[in-house]
Amino acid sequence: MVPMRFPIFVALLSLASCALAQDTDIPTVVAAFNSANIPTAFGLRFSPTSLLQVTFPRNPPYTFSSGTNVPRDATAPVPTFKLVGATDPGPYVVATVDPDGGSFGHVRHFLAGNYQLDVNTGALTNTSAPITAWFQPTPGAGNPAHRYVFWAFKQSPDFNQQRIVTAQTYIGNFNLSSFASQTQLGEPVAASFMLVKQ
């Protein structure tokens, strides 16, 4: 009997191509965001100046382009970030929000400040604790895919003094637009999003 190696090879090649995907130009990202109705859902003006690359540090690392369906099991590790095309060393704030939380409203899955940009590699690094630790996407079984949106903002000078959101603040009913306004973050400089379902 001949082993069935070809289907396995195709499956591995497909996984590898998803793992290496990433956003390559701003107009395509903006089009994907508009098509998914994300700026309207968040009440944010979206005119990015950079690309936000999100990677889940698995073996192999899993990087996606905006609007990609990502398997839930790929989203367990805390993601890492790159800001492609930026020259300002920071600091930056990164927030991840699911606007499809139903009765929970917009759900905050991650919030952290003090990201510094390595202008040579684009890597965003942070040595301080997140305000909201990474909460793996968990859309309800049988529900349509949820949009998980990663936003990068230039950090305001007084951001570390804000107490609007703390580690104890409920993650549901999060209004990112209001939070960004109150903490003087301004408009996002970059963003990306993935689709995840159970």
Side-chain angles (χ1 to χ4, degrees):
M1 187 171 181
V2 178
M4 296 290 291
R5 290 193 178 118
F6 185 70
I8 293 170
F9 174 75
V10 170
L12 289 173
L13 186 60
S14 175
L15 180 60
S17 66
C18 288
L20 296 173
Q22 62 186 20
D23 292 320
T24 57
D25 67 273
I26 290 173
T28 301
V29 172
V30 171
F33 267 66
N34 289 336
S35 178
N37 202 35
I38 290 172
T40 301
F42 281 87
L44 286 170
R45 183 171 176 270
F46 185 50
S47 298
T49 56
S50 304
L51 295 169
L52 181 64
Q53 180 180 313
V54 182
T55 300
F56 292 101
R58 298 163 40 96
N59 189 11
Y62 196 105
T63 303
F64 59 88
S65 57
S66 289
T68 300
N69 284 289
V70 175
R72 182 180 179 272
D73 65 352
T75 67
V78 178
T80 61
F81 308 103
K82 283 189 175 181
L83 203 53
V84 180
T87 56
D88 188 324
Y92 293 91
V93 173
V94 176
T96 307
V97 183
D98 170 10
D100 303 315
S103 62
F104 298 104
H106 288 207
V107 179
R108 188 177 62 260
H109 282 257
F110 183 74
L111 179 63
N114 304 314
Y115 276 95
Q116 298 292 330
L117 174 70
D118 181 325
V119 295
N120 295 314
T121 66
L124 287 174
T125 56
N126 174 331
T127 56
S128 61
I131 299 166
T132 302
W134 176 245
F135 173 49
Q136 183 182 11
T138 311
N143 287 345
H146 286 208
R147 299 165 292 175
Y148 294 87
V149 189
F150 298 81
W151 302 94
F153 296 86
K154 181 71 171 70
Q155 184 168 315
S156 53
D158 297 326
F159 181 81
N160 288 329
Q161 282 69 54
Q162 72 82 24
R163 294 296 175 262
I164 300 162
V165 174
T166 69
Q168 289 73 43
T169 305
Y170 175 55
I171 62 172
N173 298 319
F174 179 59
N175 186 324
L176 180 61
S177 175
S178 175
F179 177 77
S181 175
Q182 291 178 69
T183 56
Q184 300 177 338
L185 294 178
E187 296 175 2
V189 297
S192 186
F193 76 100
M194 63 183 180
L195 303 172
V196 180
K197 66 179 181 179
Q198 292 267 36

